[in-house]
Amino acid sequence: MTDASLLPALQTIRQRALDVAPRIAVVLGSGWGELTQHIAHPTRIPYSELEGFPAATVTGHSGELWLGTLGHHQVAVMSGRKHGYETGAVDGMKTPLRVLQALGCEVLVQTNAAGSLRASMPPQSLMLLTDHINVPQRTPLLDEAGNARFVSMVDAYDPALRQQALTMAARMDTPLHQGVYAWAFGPQFETPAEIRMLQMLGADAVGMSTVPETIIARHAGLRVLSLSFITNMGAGLSTEALSHAHTLSQAQAGSVQASRMLAAIVGGLDLS
């Protein structure tokens, strides 16, 4: 039975996109917005019209739900997300993701902008997440009850989907690194000492999103695939000055290539 709190947004989506039954949900972070240009026969719904969806407060996040087709699949694409640093709460994406699951989505594909902790993975690189480190140890599941809240995070980033993404990237002759993503709460960037700590912990990239959504998705039984667009080196690893404007400019420079590859990966996924 569908949670009653999800019904208003579900009804709005079904009324506006009658023929769309998405199996894949996509969340677009900075550097990935051009994906929407690849959606065939799109329907666009502002988050402001969907009860429980977040208001867009971060530059580079348009705050719209796109519904249409990518390759072989009907998709629901969220252009923008809620970050923990915006309000202090980390469950801001729970309602949207559960709405998309109720629409029929079985897979969540996430994207983000991140800082590199490896000299071999410079800005403009793309990284496939193999695992994550929840640095602040925050959870979006505080209001869940019973044994179902104890969710295993082993293979949180689905191995079979990861292999498909690697195969598609190789077919497109697009380098795709693999690594562990560290979630830092933000909005301040990390200090050089924190970057050194994350390197010692085994992280390859760091960013301010994605992990809460992955936890929500795994709790809901969705398979997850995630990619990072590398916009900068971590603090202390280069002479570049870190800022959100710098992140956006780097993301903009590589958005076309990143989104083209993402469209091919999502459109070609085998969900059987």
Side-chain angles (χ1 to χ4, degrees), residues 201-222:
L201 290 175
D204 300 289
V206 59
M208 303 176 189
S209 66
T210 302
V211 170
E213 297 98 297
T214 296
I215 295 171
I216 293 166
R218 294 304 301 136
H219 180 259
L222 297 173

Side-chain angles (χ1 to χ4, degrees), residues 175-196:
L176 181 57
H177 299 263
Q178 298 188 77
V180 175
Y181 174 91
W183 172 41
F185 199 82
Q188 73 284 346
F189 290 98
E190 302 74 37
T191 67
E194 289 168 338
I195 291 298
R196 293 194 298 272

Side-chain angles (χ1 to χ4, degrees), residues 1 25 42 51 96 169 196 230 232-233 242 260 272:
M1 181 181 296
E51 187 172 314
R196 293 194 298 272
I230 302 301
N232 57 275
M233 299 303 295
L242 300 182
R260 184 183 298 121
S272 60

Side-chain angles (χ1 to χ4, degrees), residues 43-199:
T43 296
R44 300 167 60 178
I45 309 175
Y47 291 172
S48 59
E49 297 179 16
L50 298 169
E51 187 172 314
F53 277 60
T57 67
V58 179
T59 304
H61 293 248
S62 67
E64 292 180 305
L65 178 67
W66 293 63
L67 299 118
T69 303
L70 275 175
H72 302 302
H73 299 295
Q74 292 189 331
V75 296
V77 178
M78 293 189 66
S79 182
R81 55 157 56 88
K82 194 74 170 179
H83 303 78
Y85 62 72
E86 295 178 63
T87 63
V90 298
D91 60 353
M93 292 292 286
K94 183 179 285 188
T95 292
L97 293 182
R98 289 183 173 175
V99 166
L100 298 185
Q101 182 189 33
L103 277 175
C105 291
E106 306 163 24
V107 169
L108 172 65
V109 178
Q110 293 209 71
T111 63
N112 60 58
S116 174
L117 307 185
R118 292 185 355 215
S120 61
M121 190 168 64
Q124 301 296 311
S125 298
L126 302 175
M127 187 187 89
L128 185 67
L129 275 65
T130 59
D131 206 342
H132 71 235
I133 300 172
N134 183 342
V135 180
Q137 283 297 293
R138 297 283 300 275
T139 177
L141 303 180
L142 285 179
D143 64 346
E144 300 296 330
N147 291 337
R149 76 184 112 172
F150 301 109
V151 180
S152 172
M153 300 303 291
V154 174
D155 288 334
Y157 302 95
D158 190 274
L161 297 181
R162 283 165 28 209
Q163 186 55 56
Q164 291 183 52
L166 290 168
T167 299
M168 180 59 73
R171 189 178 303 164
M172 298 179 70
D173 198 26
T174 300
L176 181 57
H177 299 263
Q178 298 188 77
V180 175
Y181 174 91
W183 172 41
F185 199 82
Q188 73 284 346
F189 290 98
E190 302 74 37
T191 67
E194 289 168 338
I195 291 298
R196 293 194 298 272
M197 175 192 72
L198 293 174
Q199 289 176 314

